[in-house]
Amino acid sequence: MSVPDYMQCAEDHQTLLVVVQAVGIVSEENFFRIYKRICSVSQLSVRDTQRALFIRYRHHYPPENNEWGDFQTHRKVVGLITITDCFSPKDWPQTFEKFHVQKEIYGSTLYDSRLFVFGLQGDVAEQPRPDVAFYPNYDDCDSVEKRIEDFIESLFIVLESKRLDRATDKSGDKIPLLCVPFEKKDFVGLDTDSRHYKKRCQGRMRKHVGDLCLQAGMLQDALVHYHMSVELLRSVNDFLWLGAALEGLCSASVIYHYPGGTGGKTGARRLQGSSLPSEAANRHRPGAQEVLIDPGALTTNGINPDTSTEIGRAKNCLSPEDIIDKYKEAISYYSKYKNAGVIELEACVKAVRVLAIQKRGMEASEFLQNAVYINLRQLSEEEKIQRYSILSELYELIGFHRKSAFFKRVAAMQCVAPSIAEPGWRACYKLLLETLPGYSLSLDPKDFSKGTHRGWAAVQMRLLHELVYASRRMGNPALSVRHLSFLLQTMLDFLSDQEKKDVTQSLENYTAKCPGTMEPITLPDGLTLPPVPFTKLPIVRCVKLLSLPTSLRPHKVKSLLGQSMSTKSPFIYSPIIAHNRGEERNKKIDFQWVQGDVCEVQLMVYNPMPFELRVENMGLLTSGVEFESLPAALSLPAESGLYPVTLVGVPQTTGMITVNGYHTTVFGVFSDCLLDNLPGLKTGGSTVEVIPALPRLQISTSLPRSARSLQPSAGDEIATNVSVQLYNGETQQLAVTLENIGLEPLEQLEVTSKLLTTKEKLYGDFLSWKLEETLAQFPLQPGKVATFTINIKAKLDFSCQENLLQDLSDDGISVSGFPLSSPFRQVVRPRVESRPTNPSEGSKTGDLGHVKWQLFNVRQEEEEDKEEEEEEEAVAAATAAAADCSLMQVYCQHRTHEEQSPCSSEQLLSLLLELLEGQCWQMYVMLCIFP
């Protein structure tokens, strides 16, 4: 026997093998349509008994395996069902002849056979034949199941007769020696009368009868025969058959302990059609009665089971632990024979299935490890693929997922072996996909953004490379791009610098033919590959929504006169939504965007690649309002560190807009990166209100701009500083031009003035205007211009105000005129005897900061000491009134002739005040204009 059956399980020892084959030309669809209906009748209770018969169907079975039917009867083909198409009576003889030829292949072991003919009608079809059934077509064949039941009953009759014939102890009759095919030549010339030979014959026959009893539903008898066979065969060292007897004993015990089966299909041994009405169960023979029974409660005959029978069965049955020990012993005996490799392999598989139910994975792995090293004949590539696939399934069954993935990957590589003329790349790709769970690998990138990496990265990268290659050989470049993108995204931290360059180069080569998209890819078997966004190319660490520039920033409407237009609303507390306020607060943004204006979002990005990263088509992903994203392109240096990138866009409608993420195109792969999927992201909020479009006003004046600011502007104000130079009493006009440079009409205009003083020492209105003509042009349409005039009048009263100049300086008004300035710390007076003839040469000039004071006085020498003290007091009083006035320059020059009598200190002070009242004052006015 050279072809193993990897689907074998212990309960198969109680089944009858029936082969279903097509004769002639039959379409595959029609054949399997009938084959499935035949297989539906897999269990049948025997009439007038409480025994059940189990059938195992195969549509292909190697004839050489049938030669081992005496060794283990469940390997013997006892039934043959053929399906054929015949549409003409002329073709019937030839068709029937083919049926007989087919029977001859398994003729030595067949109990019965059937031929199902479809398409033939007429006299030939009406002739009654016990082994032939005629049907007009594949749709009109309701009696297929009934004929299968009759066929199984005929098999049972033959089986029961053989069991009774072999089980009867015929004294004096020679017991034949049952042999496996390779043993026949070894027994030529042996002494058939020796005691050793007779025990061998008896032991093998006992084992054979045990198999027949097990197939006939007599579990207790089978256990007894197996025990007797083991004792006889052990005494003569007939190891091959001893192993078979031990395996039969294990199978019967497994059937008793696990009535649900070990083949992985729960309830596989339940009677097919048991839910049918009783009359349907009795339809084939009068008085027949079919009863659904538990295989673990089968009796040795049709009599109801009693307590003694159950006690005997439990005594002969092996315990779950002993079952595995006997399996080990049987396999050790099989291993002594080179030609029993298939038997040994199948026994290992059966033991593994039992251990899987017992949850003994480590012991099961030992059996599988032994199965791996069993040498069979030179297997074909298909047989190797099947062997590795079954090993993978068995390892999966016992919980060895990585080992299972290993053998499935070996099977995948075997599909494209060099010795295969037409490599099966699709089969290879499918098997590789099935290995992913075993290596803790998922094709969903979201599974890799949850935390710690699971699995061996080196093995996972190797597997992903194999998927890329297999998909390329399949002729599906989109799959190659998807798998390579997944490799780069999820395994970036484990790639070396050179590997990063190689992978990105390969990706660019693939995307040149088939760009990467965000569309899911659905495979023929229904598996869907999700899109792979490049959230690590580049890595985004921070996202911040920026407010509009100061000139475009919206503000709540307020009257410039201080009347607030805000309305009050009642506070309503609701405990239902309280738990959501924390999240809303975290995402709250205290500014607004404007419809139609360019808005900005700043990202702090990082390039993890060892080379320059080119990011194309980078823009924002938003929801809530219609938004026009303006894509950007950037080039990040190698391992750049945090790098600021600003993405812009224009909201087209109003409402609440949420920035959900961004999109990029890197290496030819388009990615939609959502903020929720970015690990370690810092954001101050992602939702902002978009208000309707606002008018935009540009203001210009007829005066030149000032180099200095009156005061720092508040954050929400736009200031234009202009300056004008006026004399006290002078009036000048300031023309203000208003231009609507936006797209919305300007509806209102309010103008007010504010003096930056609170000391109320200025008299009169400095600024005045009339807006009637200007307001007549409102609403001001886009592109239109309106003007109005501001009259600036300087009117100051300086009387009796000692500190007035200091106050004016503090208020931002610059006055230049007569002479009061910084205080004198020292006054230098020339004496008469030292005064030069030319007064100009003897003048003393004191440069005291911003004030130049030149005083020439001719005085009498005898009054000099007396007047000096009074003069100093007068000058000190005058200078104190103008202390620290940094923008005032006072120039005073008073000349006297030598003949003229000198001035007293009182006269000098009076003279200074008279000059002060008559002098013209020059004033600088600085204006702040707010739109």
Side-chain angles (χ1 to χ4, degrees), residues 266-285:
T266 304
R269 300 303 177 189
R270 294 185 60 84
L271 179 61
Q272 199 69 23
S274 61
S275 61
L276 295 177
S278 58
E279 59 267 23
N282 299 332
R283 64 191 173 189
H284 51 283
R285 289 191 182 181

Side-chain angles (χ1 to χ4, degrees), residues 80 101 129 233 236 306 413 424 499 517 700 707 741 810 877 893:
L80 176 65
V101 172
R129 296 175 180 271
L233 295 174
V236 295
D306 56 13
M413 295 297 102
E499 288 173 336
T517 66
S700 58
I741 61 174
D810 294 341
Q893 186 178 42

Side-chain angles (χ1 to χ4, degrees), residues 571-635:
F571 170 74
I572 301 177
Y573 171 74
S574 174
I576 299 177
I577 62 174
H579 64 282
N580 291 328
R581 291 181 178 173
E583 298 179 3
E584 294 297 329
R585 191 181 304 111
N586 292 336
K587 292 190 175 182
K588 182 179 178 181
I589 295 180
D590 58 356
F591 56 80
Q592 297 168 320
W593 284 352
V594 179
Q595 175 187 359
D597 287 350
V598 177
C599 305
E600 299 178 335
V601 177
Q602 186 182 69
L603 282 69
M604 299 301 293
V605 301
Y606 166 67
N607 174 20
M609 305 301 283
F611 50 85
E612 183 181 19
L613 180 64
R614 296 187 303 274
V615 183
E616 303 174 355
N617 192 32
M618 190 172 188
L620 295 173
L621 297 175
T622 61
S623 63
V625 303
E626 183 180 348
F627 186 82
E628 179 187 1
S629 178
L630 305 178
L634 59 145
S635 181

